Amino acid sequence: MQFGDSHTAADILTAEIRRRFQEDFGGGGPGYIVPRNPMSTRRRRVLSGASSGWIVEGIGGRVASDGIYAPAGIALGTSLPNETAWLQTAANHFEIYFVRQPGGGRIDVLVDGASVLEAPLSLASRLPRLGQFFYDAPAAETHRVEVRTLDSGKVRLLGIVAERINPGIVYDVFGVNGARAARLLRWNAAAFAGVLVQRKPDLIILAFGTNEAADADWTFADYRQLLAGILRRLHATAPRASILIYGPPDRADLPLAAKRMPGVIEAERRAAFEGNAAFWSSYDAMGGPGSMKAWVARGLGQADRVHFTSAGYVRLADLFYQDLMRASAVSRFEFRVRSLVSRLPISEKVDCASDLADLNSKPET
């Protein structure tokens, strides 16, 4: 599960990471999708869409006071009858997330054109809160899941999940153009926690920092404290999940942002290590200061000198995935060694601990 800014929202970088994960460990399905997401490219082997009566909320000044937009940060909203939002892919487990609220309308849920409800779902509630509906199909064949509004009540659709009930990787992507990490703390905490409890992420990736680097009021201490608060919330909500902060890449459009980037990255690194999280620096992987100009010259960066071409995002994904797998192998090796050492006599443990420290400084061994 990855949260981030425009580098994440486009789902080009993450699509390549997802592809690598699923090739190596099996495909668990496309995961969480907001139909007609204006910031995202099309997900592989997935068709999705929505009729014209839906409005994308959570961006462009259209933000509800209850803050229930987590985890995607956006939602589809309408008060019109006979509007549809749908997703079509090969899967057999589906989850639909929506908002129950005062004046909520009624919806029907259809799979392959037939309703799977005994009666329409009423989204009316005294107070705004998260709602959800799960459905399992008999086989992981291509299915079309559709949400249809039935009257003029308010409907806010947060997203549709499609998975396969088999071992494999699912990579949920939650990115918003221009987003900063602070956005996570502005969402309704109960709704955010409710989705994470249901999704049960094994790994949560935070990929922010590009936009913060240009903020006039940015300070090292404030940013580090902000990230510490986010990490505490994530650990409390998803205690079994590992967390990784994905440091921002270089940018060469604004001198101030370029100058601040090392400070942003160091704040993220320190927050990660102090908050029981891992850290990876795309900035260092690119080549450090001034590397964006070199990537643009090689056709890997876009002319805005902030974003990447498709080839550039694929290259970053490869660098990240290779380092992640290398770190995972070292971690598994260390765990096996420590398990063996724990069964040795005390006199032999001391020597083994020293040898292990030497190995940790040479992961290629």
Side-chain angles (χ1 to χ4, degrees):
M1 179 177 288
Q2 179 163 327
F3 297 90
D5 50 32
S6 55
H7 297 300
T8 296
D11 198 20
I12 300 174
L13 168 75
T14 46
E16 182 62 16
I17 299 172
R18 182 187 298 111
R19 183 188 68 80
R20 297 286 297 272
F21 263 127
Q22 293 185 340
E23 283 185 354
D24 289 346
F25 301 102
Y32 194 113
I33 292 176
V34 179
R36 217 179 75 188
N37 183 338
M39 296 169 286
S40 180
T41 56
R42 177 183 163 186
R43 193 73 57 90
R44 293 179 67 205
R45 302 187 181 92
V46 177
L47 297 175
S48 69
S51 55
S52 61
W54 297 91
I55 296 173
V56 179
E57 299 182 347
I59 55 176
R62 295 182 293 271
V63 180
S65 59
D66 57 46
I68 302 180
Y69 288 105
I74 62 173
L76 294 181
T78 187
S79 294
L80 300 174
N82 299 316
E83 297 294 336
T84 60
W86 53 274
L87 183 153
Q88 180 174 313
T89 189
N92 56 342
H93 173 74
F94 301 96
E95 303 173 10
I96 299 172
Y97 294 93
F98 45 83
V99 179
R100 296 187 184 275
Q101 59 191 324
R106 295 180 306 137
I107 62 171
D108 195 4
V109 178
L110 301 91
V111 175
D112 301 329
S115 176
V116 294
L117 303 177
E118 294 183 359
L121 276 176
S122 171
L123 307 191
S125 175
R126 187 174 65 86
L127 296 173
R129 58 187 176 89
L130 176 72
Q132 55 208 22
F133 173 79
F134 296 169
Y135 175 78
D136 289 343
E141 302 168 345
T142 298
H143 296 289
R144 178 185 172 105
V145 177
E146 182 177 305
V147 176
R148 180 177 297 168
T149 63
L150 300 178
D151 53 34
S152 57
K154 300 176 184 177
V155 174
R156 287 160 60 198
L157 177 65
L158 300 175
I160 302 175
V161 172
E163 294 182 344
R164 300 187 186 96
I165 306 176
N166 59 254
I169 298 292
V170 176
Y171 200 121
D172 289 349
V173 173
F174 305 126
V176 175
N177 291 346
R180 291 153 176 81
R183 186 183 181 94
L184 297 181
L185 298 179
R186 293 197 293 268
W187 291 335
N188 182 288
F192 181 83
V195 177
L196 262 65
V197 167
Q198 293 295 339
R199 300 296 296 135
K200 298 181 178 67
D202 299 289
L203 173 64
I204 298 173
I205 300 173
L206 301 176
F208 296 96
T210 291
N211 298 304
E212 284 90 340
D215 287 345
D217 58 350
W218 185 89
T219 69
F220 182 97
D222 287 347
Y223 190 48
R224 183 176 161 195
Q225 185 176 4
L226 170 73
L227 292 172
I230 293 172
L231 291 174
R232 285 194 297 270
R233 177 177 291 191
L234 291 175
H235 281 306
T237 304
R240 297 180 64 86
S242 297
I243 303 176
L244 183 147
I245 294 181
Y246 178 111
D250 187 32
R251 57 182 290 184
D253 59 325
L254 297 173
L256 176 64
K259 181 180 179 180
R260 278 186 178 166
M261 195 58 74
V264 171
I265 291 165
E266 183 58 23
E268 292 191 355
R269 188 193 309 273
R270 291 179 63 177
F273 292 165
E274 293 168 2
N276 192 26
F279 178 79
W280 187 79
S281 174
S282 63
Y283 181 82
D284 291 300
M286 289 177 66
S291 55
M292 176 56 84
K293 292 180 181 178
W295 279 52
V296 171
R298 292 161 53 195
L300 300 175
Q302 293 189 26
D304 65 3
R305 294 179 293 175
V306 175
H307 300 94
F308 298 85
T309 62
S310 293
Y313 280 121
V314 168
R315 176 60 180 151
L316 268 183
D318 286 342
L319 293 169
F320 172 73
Y321 191 78
Q322 290 166 14
D323 282 349
L324 189 65
M325 292 300 102
R326 187 179 299 115
S328 176
V330 170
S331 178
R332 290 195 301 272
F333 171 74
E334 179 177 332
F335 176 80
R336 289 196 297 271
V337 171
R338 289 192 185 280
S339 297
L340 292 171
V341 169
S342 68
R343 295 194 289 271
L344 292 175
I346 292 177
S347 60
E348 297 181 30
K349 286 183 181 181
V350 175
D351 291 337
C352 283
S354 176
D355 292 339
L356 182 58
D358 289 340
L359 284 172
N360 279 339
S361 67
K362 305 171 184 176
E364 68 276 5
T365 345

